Amino acid sequence: MDKLIIEVRINEYAPRDTNPQIPFTANELGRDAAAVRDAGAAIVHFHPRQADGSPTHAISDYEAAVAAIRQSSGLLLNPTLGQITASGSAIDRLRPVEALARNPALRPELCGIDPGSTNIDVFDSAARRFRSGDRVYVNSHDTLTQFSSRLRALGIKPALACWSVPFVRTACALIDMGLIDDPPYFFFVCGEGGTLGAHPATPEGLRAFTDHLPRDRKLLWSVGCKGGNLFPLAMAAIAAGGHVAIGIGDYPYPELGAPNNARLVDEVVKLARLIGREVASPEDARHMLGIRKSTPVLC
Ligand code: ZN
C-alpha cells in the first residue's frame, strides 16, 4: 500500500473560543507548520488571517504566510482560494495564488478547488434552527474551468474538494476535459455538527464517494470532516489505502482537550503504525502526487 499522506487543515476560519490553539498570523502558521512537520505531516492547507482572526485575501498576507510556513517546515503548501473572503469573480479569488505562482520561492504545490456548489449554513439541532440561512458556497462551471486551466498553466496541482457525489462527477468532467493532470487528488469533505451540505462522516458517507471514483485511472483520495471527529473515518481511510486531512481548523477536538495540530498528527501516525502503513514525508508526497519541483509557469 502507498505511504500515508497526512494533510493538516491548520486553521480554516475557526474561532479560538473552543480551541485557543488555532494559528492566525504568519508567525503562528510557521510555528504550527514546523510542529506538524515534525509529527509526520506532508501537506498544510491554510487560510491567511489577520491578528484578530478575521479573514484576509490580501496578496501580502498570502505571501507572508507562505514564506513563514515554507521557511519553517518545508511542507507542501495548499492555500485556500477564499471561500467567503473573496466574494467577487473567479479572477479575484485566484489573484493571490497567481501572484504567489510568479515567484518560484513562494509558488504553492497545491491549491484546493471545490467542483460544485453547496449550502454552508450550520444547523443547530438543539435549537432546531439554522445559525444562518443564506450562506451558499458557489462554484459555477465557468469558474471551475477557469480555476483548473489557470492552475494547470501555473504548475499548481488542484486538490479536488468534493462535498458530495455530484462534486466527484464534476471533477471527473474536468479530468475528461484534460484540465487536471494525473494523478488526480480528491479530497472528500464530510460534515458533522450541523454541516449538512456534505456527506455524513460515516462509512456509508465515505463509501458513496469512493464508489463514484473513476476505476480506469490511478488517483489519490483523502478524507476530512468539518465540524466533527475524523478519527473513526481516518482509520477506515488508512486501511483502505486513502489519505487523511485533519486539523483543528475543522473541529476543536474537545475529546482530546482542545489539542494543537501536532497532537492530531501524532494520533494519525499512531493509527497508521497500528496497521503497518508507513507515513509519507513531504518529498514522498510530492513524488506520489506527480508534482515537479521546477514546473515552469506557462503564461
Ligand atoms: Zn480551507
Side-chain angles (χ1 to χ4, degrees):
M1 200 178 283
D2 284 346
K3 290 182 179 178
L4 171 70
I5 297 173
I6 303 173
E7 177 167 349
V8 175
R9 298 171 53 79
I10 202 163
N11 63 347
E12 297 299 302
Y13 297 125
R16 282 184 176 158
D17 54 355
T18 48
N19 188 329
Q21 310 211 56
I22 299 279
F24 289 161
T25 65
N27 280 344
E28 290 162 358
L29 287 168
R31 266 202 309 273
D32 227 39
V36 300
R37 166 71 183 83
D38 290 346
I43 304 173
V44 61
H45 167 70
F46 66 94
H47 291 235
R49 296 173 65 170
Q50 293 171 350
D52 65 358
S54 55
T56 168
H57 207 61
I59 290 172
S60 57
D61 291 323
Y62 271 80
E63 289 173 338
V66 167
I69 294 170
R70 185 156 278 166
Q71 188 177 17
S72 69
S73 72
L75 290 169
L76 304 188
L77 292 155
N78 176 7
T80 184
L81 284 178
Q83 186 187 75
I84 49 175
T85 42
S87 53
S89 68
I91 289 171
D92 287 337
R93 288 176 62 193
L94 206 50
R95 194 164 280 133
V97 170
E98 291 257 7
L100 293 173
R102 295 191 180 286
N103 180 344
L106 298 181
R107 188 192 312 165
E109 289 81 6
L110 296 144
C111 183
I113 64 173
D114 300 59
S117 302
T118 190
N119 291 349
I120 55 172
D121 304 298
V122 173
F123 182 61
D124 183 336
S125 58
R128 297 188 186 185
R129 64 173 180 80
F130 287 101
R131 291 197 187 128
S132 60
D134 60 355
R135 286 160 44 101
V136 183
Y137 184 22
V138 176
N139 293 281
S140 72
H141 290 160
D142 279 350
T143 295
L144 293 168
T145 50
Q146 195 168 356
F147 282 171
S148 305
S149 55
R150 282 308 296 155
L151 290 178
R152 189 160 184 271
L154 296 169
I156 298 172
K157 188 174 192 75
L160 301 161
C162 297
W163 296 56
S164 61
V165 168
F167 285 59
V168 177
R169 301 179 72 193
T170 304
C172 291
L174 297 172
I175 293 167
D176 287 346
M177 292 165 74
L179 296 175
I180 310 290
D181 288 338
D182 285 327
Y185 178 45
F186 288 81
F187 165 49
F188 300 141
V189 181
C190 294
E192 292 295 339
T195 301
L196 305 183
H199 284 200
T202 60
E204 293 78 12
L206 176 59
R207 195 160 58 240
F209 282 123
T210 57
D211 278 352
H212 287 82
L213 288 171
R215 309 242 173 261
D216 58 348
R217 65 175 67 238
K218 166 87 176 159
L219 55 83
L220 292 87
W221 60 265
S222 72
V223 65
C225 182
K226 281 185 180 292
N229 188 322
L230 179 64
F231 282 105
L233 269 195
M235 189 52 149
I238 295 167
H243 303 277
V244 171
I246 195 166
I248 57 175
D250 277 340
Y251 179 63
Y253 286 88
E255 300 89 338
L256 298 176
N260 61 17
N261 282 298
R263 170 79 195 283
L264 298 183
V265 175
D266 277 338
E267 298 298 336
V268 175
V269 170
K270 282 184 202 161
L271 292 182
R273 287 201 180 122
L274 279 176
I275 59 171
R277 190 157 171 205
E278 284 185 71
V279 173
S281 68
E283 276 315 297
D284 292 333
R286 181 192 293 279
H287 178 72
M288 292 161 68
L289 291 162
I291 298 169
R292 283 161 298 192
K293 241 184 173 152
S294 55
T295 312
V297 174
L298 300 180
C299 51

